[in-house]
């Protein structure tokens, strides 16, 4: 069992771009679920929210390589042996600094499912009037198949969100660890010498320019929208 250090200091774990990504993604996922459930004219907003999610995921893909220390993918990829040790209570001193081994699995699952769902959504059709911007580029059979997959993934996304929220509550009540606070303010109380994430004005500007490029790319993808074939009208 890892012992808590006698002395801790505030350490910047989550840089501002990562925190903004996290909360923006959470809001857009809620918007996707709501607009997708209501349907009708709200599908236009569903499409916009989906494009926003894809822009965020593109940003996160790059930021996972060049971002702050604890936001980099390399720092929350854990071996099966380390995950098992964590579950047994024999955790590494830094396992809970950034994403814990179990938290990392949740993050990877969420990012992967949202990315696949978002890409599929580019080719999906709502059976009434709205279609993804790339639906006209593939056959009607392909659109039909991808639309079915898009609908099937919705319960999985809701389940992952509920699991994520449940884990936050569990850590708060059972382990007395506040996971929300650091994702709002950026810092955690950790042992002196714990690596900190860069979060300077320069890195924030870089993140802003990077996201602008990702958003611009998704706007370009949206501009590729064409007419669906008559058999779907």
């Amino acid at each position: 069992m890892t012992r808590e250090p006698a002395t801790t200091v505030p350490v910047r774990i989550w840089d501002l771009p990562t925190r903004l990504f996290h909360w923006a993604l959470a809001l857009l996922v809620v918007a996707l679920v709501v607009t997708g459930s209501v349907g009708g004219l709200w599908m236009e907003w569903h499409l916009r929210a989906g494009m926003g999610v894809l822009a965020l995921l593109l940003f996160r893909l790059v930021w996972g390589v060049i971002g702050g220390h604890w936001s980099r993918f390399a720092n929350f990829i854990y071996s099966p042996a380390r995950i098992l040790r964590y579950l047994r209570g024999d955790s590494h001193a830094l396992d809970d600094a950034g994403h814990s081994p179990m938290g990392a699995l949740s993050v990877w699952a969420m990012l992967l499912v949202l990315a696949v769902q978002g890409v599929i959504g580019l080719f999906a059709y709502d059976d009434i009037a709205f279609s993804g911007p790339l639906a006209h580029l593939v056959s009607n059979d392909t659109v039909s198949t991808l639309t079915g997959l898009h609908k099937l993934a919705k319960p999985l996304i809701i389940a992952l969100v509920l699991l994520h929220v449940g884990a936050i509550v569990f850590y708060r009540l059972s382990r007395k660890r506040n996971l929300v606070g650091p994702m709002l303010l950026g810092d955690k109380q950790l042992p002196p010498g714990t690596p900190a994430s860069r979060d300077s004005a320069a890195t924030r500007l870089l993140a802003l320019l990077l996201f602008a490029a990702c958003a611009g790319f998704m706007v370009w993808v949206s501009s590729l929208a064409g007419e669906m074939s008559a058999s779907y009208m």
Side-chain angles (χ1 to χ4, degrees):
M1 180 71 71
T2 300
R3 295 183 177 180
E4 293 294 331
T7 303
T8 60
V9 295
V11 178
R12 178 54 48 93
I13 296 298
W14 304 123
D15 53 59
L16 182 61
T18 298
R19 284 177 277 151
L20 291 177
F21 162 83
H22 178 275
W23 294 113
L25 186 65
L27 289 174
L28 286 177
V29 168
V30 171
L32 281 171
V33 172
V34 172
T35 54
S37 299
V38 174
L41 296 177
W42 284 100
M43 291 304 296
E44 187 67 37
W45 288 101
H46 184 79
L47 175 60
R48 292 170 182 169
M51 301 302 278
V53 165
L54 285 175
L56 285 172
L57 292 176
L58 279 175
F59 164 81
R60 189 65 181 90
L61 179 64
V62 180
W63 201 245
V65 178
I66 67 173
H69 180 84
W70 297 104
S71 297
R72 295 181 184 179
F73 297 140
N75 290 318
F76 59 94
I77 297 177
Y78 297 97
S79 67
R82 187 164 172 180
I83 293 173
L84 288 175
R85 286 198 301 270
Y86 182 82
L87 291 174
R88 290 197 300 263
D90 184 21
S91 58
H92 187 275
L94 295 179
D95 275 350
D96 290 308
H99 291 303
S100 70
M102 293 307 297
L105 291 179
S106 176
V107 170
W108 284 116
M110 183 70 74
L111 294 178
L112 178 61
V113 171
L114 287 176
V116 172
Q117 180 76 334
V119 171
I120 290 176
L122 297 175
F123 301 90
Y125 183 64
D126 76 342
D127 298 324
I128 301 176
F130 293 99
S131 62
L134 304 185
H136 65 290
L137 299 178
V138 297
S139 68
N140 290 346
D141 287 342
T142 300
V143 169
S144 180
T145 300
L146 293 177
T147 299
L149 292 174
H150 193 71
K151 292 177 180 178
L152 286 175
K154 178 181 173 182
L156 177 58
I157 291 175
I158 294 175
L160 286 173
V161 170
L162 293 177
L163 181 63
H164 190 70
V165 173
I168 292 173
V169 174
F170 169 78
Y171 271 86
R172 182 63 175 176
L173 297 179
S174 177
R175 300 195 176 185
K176 309 302 180 184
R177 289 177 179 167
N178 179 9
L179 301 182
V180 176
M183 192 54 75
L184 286 170
L185 302 176
D187 294 346
K188 281 187 179 182
Q189 291 292 327
L190 294 166
T194 300
S197 291
R198 291 177 303 163
D199 195 18
S200 65
T203 58
R204 293 177 181 184
L205 177 59
L206 174 63
L208 179 62
L209 295 174
L210 174 60
F211 178 72
C214 293
F217 176 76
M218 293 315 303
V219 169
W220 174 76
V221 171
S222 297
S223 72
L224 300 178
E227 295 293 332
M228 289 296 296
S229 65
S231 63
Y232 272 93
M233 295 300 184

